[in-house]
Amino acid sequence: PKRRKGQDLCSIEASGLPSNAEHTRTSGRLALTSINLRETMATEVLGAQHAAFEHASAAGVLALLDEDDVDIQRHSLQQLNQMVDFFWSEISDQVAVLEEMSEDEAFPDRDLAASIASKCYYHLEEYDDAMRLALTAGKYFDINVDSEYVQTIVAKCIDEYIALRRTEATAATEAD
């Protein structure tokens, strides 16, 4: 829309820009701080996925897995969980470490480690491993989420169940 003479330039909401963007008024013009505007718009457009774009690589976050401090490892896993669908090829280089963490009964976020490893295997099209780890991921594997990952893992579980039932049925008929 065109600006009418005397119209306030600070009415950001009407222009379609985020209302919480920092702004200053300079010589009758609205100057937006580009960094804040970019982050605000990215957050509104991408939601939780925005966190993955804060990094150009997962290498720094992956390095935190090698720390001895459990809190640092937990923070790393939380970041990796947000990044895994974008940086799965990098993260998959550390899938053995993630599996070890998921098998360590003393580790507090073993379910989260299993979930990340499962998603890596999914992207690598290793569906048996992806299913095995997804089933140990606890609350991090939500069958109510509408995603290709969840649909593929659920389908794999159903296929596995059918195969096991057929094997049992065949064994039972041969025993008779």
Side-chain angles (χ1 to χ4, degrees):
K2 287 190 164 197
R3 186 176 140 235
R4 290 176 278 158
K5 186 175 180 178
Q7 184 180 10
D8 185 8
L9 288 172
C10 291
S11 59
I12 293 176
E13 293 172 29
S15 67
L17 294 174
S19 60
N20 62 345
E22 292 179 17
H23 56 68
T24 58
R25 201 169 165 174
T26 308
S27 302
R29 290 192 172 163
L30 184 62
L32 297 169
T33 56
S34 63
I35 293 173
N36 188 43
L37 177 61
R38 190 173 354 135
E39 288 177 2
T40 303
M41 292 179 76
T43 301
E44 288 183 5
V45 172
L46 300 173
Q49 295 175 354
H50 171 65
F53 294 108
E54 291 178 0
H55 304 283
S57 171
V61 179
L62 285 168
L64 297 176
L65 292 177
D66 295 331
E67 293 292 326
D68 293 332
D69 188 345
V70 174
D71 290 331
I72 293 174
Q73 291 174 337
R74 293 174 80 184
H75 176 73
S76 175
L77 289 174
Q78 291 166 355
Q79 293 295 309
L80 290 172
N81 191 44
Q82 294 176 349
M83 302 168 70
V84 69
D85 289 326
F86 303 100
F87 297 105
W88 62 267
S89 61
E90 280 183 76
I91 298 169
S92 66
D93 290 340
Q94 297 294 321
V95 75
V97 172
L98 292 167
E99 279 194 77
E100 285 178 26
M101 293 173 104
S102 74
E103 294 168 359
D104 182 359
E105 293 183 18
F107 187 69
D109 276 341
R110 58 187 292 208
D111 293 353
L112 182 54
S115 176
I116 297 165
S118 173
K119 291 174 184 176
C120 285
Y121 279 125
Y122 163 76
H123 287 292
L124 292 168
E125 298 182 7
E126 298 288 338
Y127 299 124
D128 290 332
D129 289 326
M131 178 187 69
R132 174 180 55 83
L133 287 159
L135 293 175
T136 63
K139 68 180 182 181
Y140 294 101
F141 181 67
D142 182 1
I143 62 170
N144 296 314
V145 172
D146 186 25
S147 71
E148 188 176 324
Y149 164 73
V150 170
Q151 291 173 0
T152 301
I153 299 301
V154 169
K156 180 69 178 160
C157 289
I158 292 169
D159 291 344
E160 190 70 22
Y161 175 79
I162 291 169
L164 288 171
R165 294 294 293 180
R166 283 185 181 155
T167 302
E168 289 175 1
T170 303
T173 57
E174 289 177 358
D176 290 339

